[in-house]
């Protein structure tokens, strides 16, 4: 049991280092994606299986719901996993009171959608456009007191751009945030 815990935590820390390295590669236009035919459900399952201990250890309840008939996309598996992990990390960081996360997949207008919902602090409308900028941190309130580099959402945006997709945010202070990642379906 302890070996399993150590192994999962080692992988999580490795992902943090990989995130920093990925961002520097993308920023220098040296990142090479390995596009292949993927189903987002498979990536979601893999990430949630490896991340479940971390969520439980932090006291989070989480729910995963998937559209089992979701179409395939062309994407880089590790980059998409990294995008989901960034959203989970943020949901954990910015949900100090209500520790609930919902992860879901669905199809919407020819896109496979990966959605992460939390019941955390939320983001004021005036900051929502800026949170995808490199090193941007919300400058006021409880959010500013939470440690972070300001790279996670910038990296997420770059990953979505590379996949011809889009990221949408619905958020309200005190209610929480919903991040939706849209990937074009190829079949």
């Amino acid at each position: 049991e302890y070996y399993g815990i150590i192994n999962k935590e080692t992988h999580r820390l490795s992902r943090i280092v990989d995130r920093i390295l990925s961002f520097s590669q993308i920023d220098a236009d040296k990142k090479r994606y390995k596009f292949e035919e993927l189903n987002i459900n498979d990536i979601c399952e893999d990430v949630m299986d490896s991340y479940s201990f971390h969520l439980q250890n932090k006291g989070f309840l989480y729910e995963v719901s998937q559209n089992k008939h979701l179409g395939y996309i062309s994407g880089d598996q590790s980059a998409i996993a990294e995008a989901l992990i960034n959203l989970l990390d943020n949901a954990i960081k910015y949900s100090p009171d209500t520790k609930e996360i919902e992860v879901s997949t669905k199809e919407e207008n020819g896109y496979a959608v990966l959605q992460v919902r939390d019941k955390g602090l939320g983001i004021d409308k005036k900051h929502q456009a800026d949170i995808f900028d490199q090193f941007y941190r919300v400058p006021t309130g409880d959010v500013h007191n939470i440690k972070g580099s300001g790279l996670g959402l910038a990296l997420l945006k770059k990953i979505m751009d590379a996949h011809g997709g889009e990221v949408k945010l619905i958020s309200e202070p005190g209610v929480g945030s919903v991040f939706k990642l849209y990937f074009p379906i190829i079949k």
Side-chain angles (χ1 to χ4, degrees):
E1 182 181 347
Y2 288 123
Y3 172 76
I5 292 168
I6 291 168
N7 190 34
K8 285 182 181 182
E9 284 301 297
T10 301
H11 287 298
R12 189 182 67 78
L13 292 173
S14 292
R15 285 192 303 263
I16 292 169
V17 171
D18 288 343
R19 183 181 308 156
I20 293 167
L21 293 174
S22 289
F23 189 84
S24 63
Q25 283 180 331
I26 291 170
D27 208 36
D29 289 328
K30 294 188 179 191
K31 177 74 175 173
R32 301 290 174 244
Y33 293 100
K34 181 183 171 196
F35 286 91
E36 56 188 327
E37 192 174 286
L38 302 170
N39 187 297
I40 289 183
N41 287 332
D42 297 335
I43 297 169
C44 184
E45 284 176 25
D46 289 345
V47 169
M48 296 310 292
D49 283 347
S50 65
Y51 220 74
S52 63
F53 171 77
H54 185 62
L55 288 167
Q56 291 167 357
N57 192 42
K58 295 281 187 180
F60 278 82
L61 298 174
Y62 65 93
E63 180 180 325
V64 179
S65 60
Q66 298 177 326
N67 175 342
K68 296 294 182 189
H69 305 289
L70 199 58
Y72 285 81
I73 66 162
S74 176
D76 181 294
Q77 184 170 350
S78 63
I80 296 170
E82 189 171 5
L84 176 54
I85 289 166
N86 281 342
L87 292 177
L88 291 171
D89 282 343
N90 280 353
I92 290 169
K93 275 197 284 191
Y94 298 108
S95 298
D97 299 324
T98 306
K99 298 182 178 231
E100 296 176 21
I101 297 173
E102 297 172 22
V103 179
S104 61
T105 62
K106 60 184 176 179
E107 189 172 324
E108 228 178 80
N109 301 321
Y111 288 87
V113 181
L114 176 58
Q115 177 175 296
V116 177
R117 175 189 305 270
D118 67 53
K119 295 183 180 177
L121 299 174
I123 303 164
D124 194 294
K125 284 224 182 284
K126 65 183 173 185
H127 299 294
Q128 289 182 13
D130 297 326
I131 64 167
F132 298 103
D133 294 343
Q134 183 175 336
F135 302 118
Y136 183 80
R137 305 277 325 276
V138 174
T140 59
D142 292 339
V143 174
H144 189 66
N145 297 329
I146 296 170
K147 293 182 181 188
S149 64
L151 288 178
L153 292 177
L155 178 59
L156 170 76
K157 176 80 169 85
K158 289 180 183 279
I159 289 170
M160 294 310 297
D161 290 346
H163 283 79
E166 186 179 357
V167 57
K168 292 185 180 178
L169 167 65
I170 302 164
S171 188
E172 185 179 333
V175 176
S177 300
V178 179
F179 285 87
K180 293 181 171 187
L181 307 182
Y182 289 81
F183 297 91
I185 292 176
I186 57 171
K187 70 174 192 176

